[in-house]
Amino acid sequence: MGQLWRGNSGSLPGAELLILSPFVIAQLLAWTAYYDAERAAHQAAHRLITEAHSGGWLELERTPTLAANPFGSRASYVLFQLRQKLALVFLPVLLLLVQRELQRLFPQTWQEWQRTVNFLGIAAVLVVFAAMPWILRLVLGLTPLPPGPLRQRLQASARRLRFRCSNILVWNTRRGMANAMVIGILPWVRYVVFTDRLLDDFTPEEIEAVFGHEVGHIRHHHMLYYFSFLTTSVLVLGWLITDVVVAYVRPLPFALDGHSSDCVSMVSLVAVLLAYIFVVFGFLSRRCERQADVFGCRAVSCTSPDCCGHDTDVAFAPHGRGLCPTGINTFIRALEKVASVNGISRDRPGFLQSWQHASIGRRIEFLQQMLLDPGVERRFQRRVFLFKALLLLVLGSAVALILFQDAKTSAIDPDRAATVRER
Ligand SMILES: [Zn+2]
Ligand SMILES: [Zn+2]
């Protein structure tokens, strides 16, 4: 994305205006970096059960479509692919292009209202983030789950787990994949989405367990955490890298102008950010997925910790407080099915496919340990809590330090503060 954007910049008219305004470069830089982060968060938080896909729209290529299903015309296929694969990618590009075109058309106003424009930019990103469920529903053509026993069952489950969402939707992937996701931080703009294949191939118990996994992400506030983590990380890394670059560029025997050092900062920021997301976010995301897995087990567990099977009229524990062997086994079965239906290797899904979610084999292994020793879960939850709290504490302190330094600099010397900020 960053490359795409930079690649475009030469061919578009008015590119010099961008370079003239360090403020806008900083903004573009933030948006460019933000996009990767946002996409990673989105992928981790939303493509939840299947461990590995590099994006729902990419999976369609890997999963063989059943010959029994009519495939539709070429035009409809192309349109379907375009909608699923490209529409979402084009949205941020479109936003950036609009921003750029406005800037090109009204350069004067842009310069004069830089602060307002910057504020509006941040507001626009937040609005797009909050409205993401609506955007996805529109782009992917999601439809409400029709009324019936399954919908009633899931609604009852939501009430029991104290979970609120605005609707349960179906994603028609032409039976391409079995997957589910939850989208939306706010309960009144939040959807739980199941693909057609999952609804066709999974039993109601398994679907409810998968639903529980998605509810688990919300109950553990994963999306809010990802959002704060990524925002503070981008701030802190951006600040660190700019400082390091400035420190190294100054003693160089030849002079680098402001633009070159901005370029160096930008390239290093994108590189470091990607590596950071891969390592730290990957680690965090795998823990969060496991938390959601455990909640999925709880969603279909009764109150008896040593039950040996559920009748059709079993009463599941309220608020997801129960954790019984039958519930754990239902969730394990759902995971096995995700692997077999999507054609994912259970134990060796590939490096790129397992950085966000552990392999299905390892996820199941953990749940089986939980069956043997209930203490495993308690210890796991405690470790995850400590890790998450520590991470947020470190990032929060760093942001506080940056703000403090900034305030101090501007108090001592307003001119210098301005240059520092423009950097
Ligand atoms: Zn998940
Ligand atoms: Zn039970």
Side-chain angles (χ1 to χ4, degrees):
M1 170 62 201
Q3 275 164 0
L4 176 68
W5 183 238
R6 280 199 300 280
N8 277 346
S9 64
S11 58
L12 283 173
E16 317 85 89
L17 283 174
L18 266 183
I19 296 155
L20 286 178
S21 166
F23 217 130
V24 176
I25 290 177
Q27 196 185 21
L28 273 178
L29 188 150
W31 282 8
T32 310
Y34 222 84
Y35 174 78
D36 293 316
E38 192 103 20
R39 195 177 57 168
H42 178 82
Q43 284 176 350
H46 302 159
R47 262 177 306 96
L48 302 176
I49 353 179
T50 52
E51 61 193 325
H53 316 291
S54 46
W57 33 94
L58 290 178
E59 273 152 48
L60 294 168
E61 291 174 337
R62 290 199 288 113
T63 319
T65 307
L66 295 183
N69 288 295
F71 206 66
S73 71
R74 183 188 297 271
S76 82
Y77 175 76
V78 170
L79 216 71
F80 178 78
Q81 298 286 330
L82 192 75
R83 191 175 188 178
Q84 308 268 323
K85 292 184 186 174
L86 295 181
L88 282 179
V89 180
F90 276 139
L91 189 77
V93 176
L94 194 77
L95 277 177
L96 285 171
L97 281 178
V98 166
Q99 184 235 10
R100 190 151 190 187
E101 203 54 26
L102 282 176
Q103 189 204 354
R104 196 177 67 79
L105 291 174
F106 311 103
Q108 213 55 45
T109 329
W110 200 272
Q111 291 280 342
E112 282 166 23
W113 297 88
Q114 259 180 12
R115 263 167 205 284
T116 321
V117 163
N118 199 44
F119 173 76
L120 283 178
I122 294 168
V125 169
L126 285 175
V127 167
V128 168
F129 191 76
M132 196 45 91
W134 289 334
I135 296 170
L136 275 174
R137 180 177 183 169
L138 202 71
V139 169
L140 299 175
L142 309 174
T143 50
L145 178 69
L150 182 65
R151 193 182 171 92
Q152 279 170 8
R153 182 180 185 132
L154 295 179
Q155 279 170 339
S157 184
R159 277 193 299 276
R160 193 178 65 244
L161 300 171
R162 287 181 172 168
F163 167 77
R164 285 197 299 151
C165 64
S166 45
N167 213 334
I168 302 170
L169 303 178
V170 182
W171 179 5
N172 175 18
T173 64
R174 297 168 169 238
R175 285 185 53 83
M177 60 169 163
N179 207 340
M181 59 183 175
V182 59
I183 27 173
I185 285 183
L186 308 168
W188 49 91
V189 198
R190 179 188 294 154
Y191 299 129
V192 176
V193 183
F194 292 101
T195 65
D196 48 352
R197 185 84 188 267
L198 190 137
L199 293 177
D200 287 350
D201 292 6
F202 286 46
T203 66
E205 290 78 24
E206 288 159 1
I207 295 174
E208 192 171 0
V210 170
F211 183 77
H213 173 103
E214 307 306 333
V215 173
H217 279 300
I218 300 298
R219 290 293 307 272
H220 285 288
H221 309 290
H222 287 160
M223 256 170 281
L224 217 55
Y225 190 90
Y226 290 158
F227 190 73
S228 336
F229 165 78
L230 291 169
T231 323
T232 47
S233 297
V234 167
L235 265 172
V236 173
L237 284 179
W239 181 71
L240 276 178
I241 284 165
T242 318
D243 263 33
V244 168
V245 166
V246 165
Y248 276 94
V249 159
R250 221 169 256 160
L252 284 180
F254 50 89
L256 274 179
D257 55 12
H259 177 231
S260 311
S261 86
D262 270 346
C263 271
V264 174
S265 297
M266 180 144 122
V267 172
S268 349
L269 178 63
V270 171
V272 170
L273 200 66
L274 284 178
Y276 175 84
I277 284 173
F278 192 77
V279 175
V280 184
F281 186 77
F283 185 84
L284 175 69
S285 163
R286 290 193 294 274
R287 265 82 208 149
C288 290
E289 286 307 323
R290 187 161 284 175
Q291 278 190 319
D293 283 352
V294 173
F295 202 85
C297 298
R298 290 182 176 280
V300 286
S301 282
C302 67
T303 43
S304 154
D306 47 5
C307 82
C308 36
H310 290 162
D311 296 330
T312 42
D313 58 344
V314 63
F316 291 142
H319 317 321
R321 285 200 192 117
L323 187 59
C324 76
T326 314
I328 297 176
N329 279 318
T330 307
F331 195 84
I332 290 178
R333 265 203 318 281
L335 273 180
E336 299 269 18
K337 219 173 226 178
V338 164
S340 66
V341 167
N342 289 309
I344 307 166
S345 162
R346 193 178 176 280
D347 297 306
R348 302 189 65 84
F351 180 61
L352 270 178
Q353 297 179 359
S354 55
W355 76 276
Q356 284 177 3
H357 307 60
S359 74
I360 287 192
R362 289 185 64 176
R363 287 165 78 179
I364 290 176
E365 202 180 298
F366 177 80
L367 298 177
Q368 281 166 342
Q369 281 170 10
M370 230 164 62
L371 276 174
L372 296 173
D373 174 13
V376 167
E377 194 231 345
R378 238 186 351 263
R379 290 193 290 276
F380 161 74
Q381 299 283 14
R382 204 171 44 224
R383 277 201 310 273
V384 174
F385 175 79
L386 280 176
F387 171 73
K388 278 157 75 172
L390 202 69
L391 188 62
L392 216 54
L393 193 73
V394 169
L395 286 171
S397 318
V399 169
L401 196 73
I402 293 170
L403 293 176
F404 177 71
Q405 284 283 351
D406 200 38
K408 214 168 73 178
T409 325
S410 49
I412 295 166
D413 183 354
D415 289 342
R416 193 182 120 64
T419 26
V420 167
R421 226 175 278 123
E422 275 173 20
R423 240 167 46 192

